[in-house]
Amino acid sequence: MRRPTIKDVAERAEVSLKTVSRVINDEPGVRARTRERVNQAIAELGYRPDPSARSLRSAQPYALGVVYDNPNPYYIIAVQNGVLSACRETGYGLQIHPCDASSPVLAADLIDLVQGARLAGLVLAPPMSEQMPLVNELVEQGIRLVRIVSAAADPHDGAPCVWVDDHDAAYDITEHLIQLGHQRIGFLWGGTSHRSSWERYKGYAKALADYGIVEDENLVLPGDYSFDDGFRGARRLLALPDPPTAIFGSNDEIAAGVLAAARSSGLNVPYDLSIAGFEDSPFSKQSWPPLTTASQATEAIARHAAYRLIAELRRDAHPQADAPANEGFSPVLVVRGSTAPPRPRD
């Protein structure tokens, strides 16, 4: 069957093409009964506007951009899927734009992207979303954007965002390990350019302090959000004269690297070494044993960020509408087979 067109909608609703276009673009001046009839015809026909065609016909662009620089493919795929689902439901197109967060000309590149591709706005993923000089420069250029950021609460920094409470989730993971009986708990950082790494470390450190455990700097190692850094970091920790009985990796890829290092050292997980990750990536359920982690609804977070951006764009056309609020998400501890009480040492 051919794809329904705007002409089919107009014929079904018994209105003009111009009226259908005004309803689709959420323009004022259409009577409520007429708008309802057009929307009903759209639903019955399963009509979806072509965002590129809408942008060409209208002064208003109808495509969003997702900007990211993250070594974790599972995270990026979830972000893309979340934004895409919101775009499909609201008639927007989507352009994916990987970039180098450390580039000195990043702001100029993103401004060129928005203008050249006629994007309505950007969803910024970490770490660009947490670089306030970049964010401020984009806002000063009139670019609409919404950020996905790591924060223990709404940052109230003047730029729209969806925030994720990594701090408390990391606290919960560390507390879980402490309550199992672990005193020597290693921590492997993600990239320090990501605020999530700092928030997860601070949650880890706060849990240790609250339980009266003195943090051992030898148990905390730098790294990136990658399997290889998890493997290398774990080998260093396990080679210590007094190695940890548990290791908390800042994401599941790091934790998977720790699991591989433990296996290569002949350790039984979880009895010789407990391992925890973060984010609840697909392979966290598929590894053996499956990983204890914090379930982070990345796809839902990205979908809400896209809806937040679209609400801002619609408010441009209807300034009397209430300003949308920032939203927060809290990852939830998921206990699986990779953690257990420590085995007594001789």
Side-chain angles (χ1 to χ4, degrees):
M1 295 178 63
R2 69 179 179 85
R3 181 177 178 177
T5 67
I6 192 172
K7 183 178 180 182
D8 296 326
V9 175
E11 291 176 353
R12 174 70 66 94
E14 298 180 343
V15 297
S16 67
L17 292 174
K18 184 176 181 180
T19 298
V20 176
S21 179
R22 291 172 68 188
V23 171
I24 291 171
N25 294 327
D26 200 23
E27 296 177 11
V30 180
R31 288 184 298 179
R33 292 184 63 183
T34 302
R35 188 181 297 274
E36 182 180 349
R37 198 161 69 246
V38 171
N39 284 329
Q40 183 177 348
I42 289 173
E44 290 174 352
L45 293 169
Y47 171 72
R48 288 189 178 277
D50 182 344
S52 59
R54 289 173 73 190
S55 293
L56 290 172
R57 290 193 299 265
S58 168
Q60 180 179 350
Y62 284 97
L64 306 182
V66 171
V67 180
Y68 69 90
D69 177 6
N70 191 308
N72 183 348
Y74 295 98
Y75 178 83
I76 295 307
I77 290 169
V79 168
Q80 291 177 6
N81 288 341
V83 176
L84 181 59
S85 67
C87 288
R88 284 174 171 167
E89 291 172 11
T90 54
Y92 278 80
L94 178 62
Q95 182 162 330
I96 307 299
H97 186 73
C99 65
D100 178 2
S102 63
S103 170
V105 294
L106 179 56
D109 288 345
L110 295 182
I111 292 168
D112 288 345
L113 169 70
V114 171
Q115 294 173 347
R118 298 197 72 231
L119 300 180
L122 300 176
V123 175
L124 296 183
M128 288 77 61
S129 58
E130 298 161 345
Q131 298 175 1
M132 289 311 296
L134 169 67
V135 171
N136 291 334
E137 187 169 351
L138 295 177
V139 170
E140 287 170 4
Q141 293 297 316
I143 293 174
R144 285 295 192 183
L145 57 86
V146 168
R147 306 166 299 140
I148 300 172
V149 300
S150 176
D154 188 338
H156 294 295
D157 54 11
C161 72
V162 172
W163 49 275
V164 183
D165 187 359
D166 293 285
H167 177 280
D168 283 3
Y171 184 103
D172 290 345
I173 290 172
T174 310
E175 181 179 55
H176 163 69
L177 294 171
I178 294 170
Q179 291 179 346
L180 286 173
H182 296 278
Q183 295 285 306
R184 293 187 58 76
I185 302 170
F187 181 86
L188 298 181
W189 277 72
T192 54
S193 64
H194 293 256
R195 190 185 298 172
S196 59
S197 295
W198 292 91
E199 292 294 324
R200 293 171 194 181
Y201 166 71
K202 288 190 290 186
Y204 157 83
K206 179 71 162 54
L208 293 182
D210 284 354
Y211 279 85
I213 300 173
V214 177
E215 182 180 335
D216 184 344
E217 62 181 15
N218 295 316
L219 297 182
V220 179
L221 297 181
D224 205 348
Y225 283 126
S226 70
F227 177 95
D228 288 344
D229 276 14
F231 185 88
R232 285 191 290 264
R235 291 297 292 264
R236 286 179 58 188
L237 291 176
L238 295 173
L240 291 172
D242 188 10
T245 60
I247 297 177
F248 176 10
S250 288
N251 76 346
D252 291 334
E253 281 199 75
I254 293 173
V258 176
L259 181 59
R263 289 280 175 75
S264 70
S265 300
L267 297 179
N268 183 312
V269 177
Y271 302 109
D272 295 328
L273 180 71
S274 283
I275 301 171
F278 202 108
E279 291 175 10
D280 200 20
S281 299
F283 62 79
S284 68
K285 309 175 188 67
Q286 300 160 1
S287 64
W288 187 257
L291 292 172
T292 290
T293 185
S295 180
Q296 177 175 289
T298 302
E299 190 167 324
I301 291 165
R303 184 166 59 250
H304 279 261
Y307 281 131
R308 177 79 167 82
L309 176 56
I310 292 166
E312 291 282 348
L313 297 171
R314 288 176 172 171
R315 188 165 173 262
D316 288 343
H318 305 286
Q320 71 278 8
D322 293 336
N326 293 337
E327 297 181 80
F329 288 79
S330 298
V332 178
L333 172 67
V334 178
V335 177
R336 298 197 180 106
S338 66
T339 54
R343 178 178 287 170
R345 291 179 175 176
D346 296 335

